[in-house]
Amino acid sequence: MKVRITLLWFVAALVVTPAYAQMDFSGEWGVRMYEDQPERVPGPELGDFLGIPINDAARLRAAAWDASLQTLREWQCRPHSADYIWRGPSQLKISKEVDPVSREIVAFHAEWLRSVDRPVYLDGRPHPSPNAPHTWGGFSTGRWEGDMLTVTVTHLKEGYVRRNGLPRSDKATVREHWIRNGDFLTVMTVVTDPVYLTEPFVRTTDYELTVNQQVPPYPCGVVQEIVRPKDQVPHFLPGSNPYMEEFATKHKIPVEATRGGAETMYPEFRAKIRKP
Amino acid sequence: MKREVAGLWAVAVVMYVGAGLSRPVIAAQQPQPPAPTPRAQAPIDLTGYWVSIVTEDWRWRMVTPPKGDYASVPMTPAARKVADAWDPKRDAASGEACRAYGAGAIMRVPGRIHITWENDTTLRIDTEAGTQTRLFRFGASGPAAPAAPPSWQGRSAAQWQISGGRRGAPPAGGSLRVVTTGLRPGYLRKNGVPYSANAVVTEYYNRTNEPNGDTWLVVTTVVEDPMYLNGRFVTSSHFKKAADGSVWNPTPCDVS
């Protein structure tokens, strides 16, 4: 009997091939804000739409936006959406779910400070009906392209592409590429939004493996920040926002550039704004 | 029982042979084919024209930032001292106009790049910005040879990082890792944020394909320079594949 079992193990060991194609993204990742730090930590300045392929509808929404909106009870505990949170000022924890039989990774879960749990399913399940609820984290499925994980995100609530009022609609879809190079994680996000963007909005964000970190809890409580009538929503009526050109003036950048649009993403735009 | 055990042994032997573990014996009897060249081995195709899409760090890349605007860069006090003394006219007059176009920063400078194979073991990148040429040599490792003078683009050792491809299976993808040393001191930012001659630049090149037909090149750049940086300075830049080189327009280094 013992001989039989030993031989069966021997045969099994020869037959089983490890699933080499799966990169492990799980772990604690420290965000490296060596790009756009002023936008990501203190927060973006009003009227800074540089390098974002927005349309006029987005500009109109952003000009109507008043930062005091964030003090409303309904907004105080609002988490960043799945597409924006990569660029937020927070550590990242990624955990993995492993099938107990096949030992294949069937899901990753990404979690940041002030975020919701965001599962990325790798088990081949379909996306839900378009009529299913939209959430801050959306619905994400992933598939392997070599060692790179490509993720498709749908079912997002309306969010923002920049925290100064630039909107992203609930019709947007996001494609992500998770790329691990040693201790570095680079995530490319491609946001496609038929309502507010004229071209896909692409960014790449970097994290570094940080074994001694822990994403802290973020219990959020709602308080009365400003006393105002219950039905009052901070806003600017079209054409009445006096702050739209402050950013351009402060940084000596042409106003036409700060209004953004696809043209401002391309190198040729430099010639257009170059002083004679 | 004996017959059953013998049968299992037979299966085990067949599996052992089938798994290819007897290949060394066979290999010793036959002449080895030449190893594939790095060009033939490429798990991804990086060649072609690419245009940088500037959706990040716009006001430090698309325009020359003012002196003292060093946000986002983990500079040492020594670096601040150098940057505070930045004088673009002096750079131009002393033949240092290309300081912001060295390997530590060039992939972050807006413009198009053209990637080709110089030969079977050398990948070449030409840039519109500053009309620079980078040569990524496969099989070359270690620091720059002492005889080689430092240069803006230094000496780059390249290596494919191939995913999959074990046990005779075709590669499932991969990326390119490049380590550059032997650099002439340059700027990480056009307003004089410095890196020294001892800087080491490690880059990872990845390629993605999107459902709308777009193809992207993602370059993750890690600059290490204990003299001027407090940590590993990591940024990532993205380029969209261009149809051709019809609008290719190289420009000289410019300090303004």
Side-chain angles (χ1 to χ4, degrees):
Chain A
M1 186 62 186
K2 275 185 182 174
V3 173
R4 196 186 306 179
I5 290 171
T6 307
L7 278 170
L8 282 171
W9 273 111
F10 183 61
V11 171
L14 289 172
V15 172
V16 171
T17 304
Y20 283 116
Q22 297 190 334
M23 174 64 76
D24 191 356
F25 291 99
S26 65
E28 299 282 345
W29 297 93
V31 64
R32 294 294 173 259
M33 285 182 285
Y34 301 143
E35 297 172 352
D36 290 330
Q37 189 271 348
E39 176 195 335
R40 297 163 71 184
V41 184
E45 297 179 58
L46 295 173
D48 171 10
F49 310 149
L50 295 167
I52 305 185
I54 51 172
N55 60 18
D56 283 339
R59 288 187 191 94
L60 197 63
R61 281 284 301 272
W65 185 81
D66 184 337
S68 189
L69 196 69
Q70 313 262 29
T71 66
L72 292 177
R73 284 172 171 271
E74 294 83 354
W75 277 71
Q76 288 172 23
C77 292
R78 178 177 173 164
H80 294 310
S81 298
D83 53 325
Y84 184 87
I85 188 66
W86 289 106
R87 208 71 181 163
S90 168
Q91 309 94 318
L92 162 66
K93 175 188 177 181
I94 299 178
S95 54
K96 62 181 175 185
E97 275 186 58
V98 177
D99 183 291
V101 177
S102 71
R103 303 295 173 91
E104 289 191 346
I105 300 170
V106 293
F108 283 112
H109 292 258
E111 188 180 359
W112 295 259
L113 178 71
R114 202 177 179 175
S115 80
V116 292
D117 170 46
R118 194 197 145 198
V120 176
Y121 299 110
L122 307 182
D123 55 4
R125 72 182 67 188
H127 281 242
S129 148
N131 299 324
H134 286 219
T135 63
W136 304 118
F139 188 90
S140 302
T141 55
R143 64 182 174 83
W144 295 103
E145 294 184 283
D147 285 342
M148 180 168 69
L149 183 67
T150 295
V151 179
T152 301
V153 190
T154 59
H155 294 79
L156 287 163
K157 274 179 180 281
E158 183 182 273
Y160 34 80
V161 292
R162 188 166 278 173
R163 276 186 292 148
N164 58 3
L166 277 183
R168 191 263 300 134
S169 83
D170 62 1
K171 291 185 170 53
T173 55
V174 181
R175 200 166 142 94
E176 299 172 343
H177 300 285
W178 298 16
I179 302 165
R180 180 170 181 170
N181 293 302
D183 286 350
F184 290 99
L185 169 66
T186 297
V187 175
M188 175 182 183
T189 55
V190 183
V191 181
T192 303
D193 184 352
V195 179
Y196 292 122
L197 297 176
T198 61
E199 288 187 24
F201 178 40
V202 177
R203 283 191 291 201
T204 52
T205 307
D206 307 300
Y207 291 78
E208 189 171 358
L209 197 63
T210 310
V211 293
N212 59 350
Q213 82 166 18
Q214 185 177 21
V215 177
Y218 193 85
C220 185
V222 175
V223 297
Q224 183 77 35
E225 290 193 26
I226 293 175
V227 178
R228 57 161 67 95
K230 270 190 176 177
D231 58 350
Q232 190 179 79
V233 176
H235 67 279
F236 291 98
L237 287 172
S240 69
N241 191 330
Y243 307 116
M244 283 293 99
E245 295 187 6
E246 272 189 355
F247 173 76
T249 306
K250 178 180 171 186
H251 296 286
K252 299 183 173 58
I253 294 170
V255 173
E256 63 175 304
T258 65
R259 291 180 57 73
E263 188 185 24
T264 65
M265 303 189 301
Y266 289 87
E268 290 74 18
F269 189 72
R270 287 183 305 167
K272 190 170 180 179
I273 59 171
R274 188 158 283 177
K275 291 169 189 167
Chain B
M1 175 67 184
K2 276 185 182 174
R3 191 179 294 170
E4 198 176 334
V5 170
L8 282 168
W9 272 115
V11 170
V13 168
V14 168
M15 296 306 300
Y16 181 79
V17 174
L21 298 177
S22 60
R23 276 182 196 149
V25 177
I26 298 168
Q29 296 167 347
Q30 294 177 345
Q32 285 289 308
T37 63
R39 183 178 188 169
Q41 244 183 340
I44 52 173
D45 182 12
L46 298 175
T47 61
Y49 289 91
W50 304 84
V51 57
S52 62
I53 301 298
V54 186
T55 55
E56 303 162 344
D57 282 352
W58 197 100
R59 68 183 173 90
W60 300 284
R61 296 169 66 190
M62 292 290 271
V63 295
T64 301
K67 184 188 280 190
D69 187 353
Y70 312 139
S72 304
V73 188
M75 298 165 72
T76 62
R80 285 187 174 275
K81 199 171 172 184
V82 171
D84 287 343
W86 171 60
D87 181 348
K89 286 181 183 167
R90 185 184 60 205
D91 283 346
S94 59
E96 299 281 327
C98 289
R99 273 182 173 248
Y101 299 82
I106 188 64
M107 303 310 284
R108 205 76 180 146
V109 181
R112 286 175 171 72
I113 60 173
H114 184 208
I115 304 181
T116 53
W117 283 98
E118 173 101 336
N119 54 49
D120 282 347
T121 59
T122 308
L123 197 63
R124 173 182 174 132
I125 297 185
D126 290 292
T127 71
E128 276 186 339
T131 318
Q132 299 292 302
T133 298
R134 305 186 67 188
L135 297 174
F136 297 168
R137 293 189 167 88
F138 289 79
S141 61
S151 61
W152 298 125
Q153 303 309 327
R155 178 184 167 88
S156 300
Q159 186 180 27
W160 291 118
Q161 298 188 304
I162 297 172
S163 56
R166 278 84 164 184
R167 296 196 175 180
S175 61
L176 175 67
R177 180 176 186 264
V178 180
V179 178
T180 300
T181 53
L183 289 166
R184 201 166 155 177
Y187 295 152
L188 293 170
R189 243 183 222 170
K190 220 170 173 185
N191 62 348
V193 174
Y195 61 86
S196 77
N198 294 322
V200 177
V201 180
T202 304
E203 295 166 293
Y204 301 92
Y205 290 72
N206 287 274
R207 177 188 157 131
T208 77
N209 299 308
E210 305 305 320
N212 68 351
D214 288 348
T215 300
W216 293 85
L217 171 66
V218 179
V219 183
T220 303
T221 304
V222 184
V223 182
E224 294 173 273
D225 182 4
M227 181 180 287
Y228 290 137
L229 292 171
N230 278 323
R232 299 198 282 184
F233 179 57
V234 54
T235 55
S236 45
S237 310
H238 45 280
F239 299 79
K240 188 158 78 170
K241 187 88 183 271
D244 53 42
S246 56
V247 291
W248 180 252
N249 181 28
T251 54
C253 296
D254 175 21
V255 297
S256 62

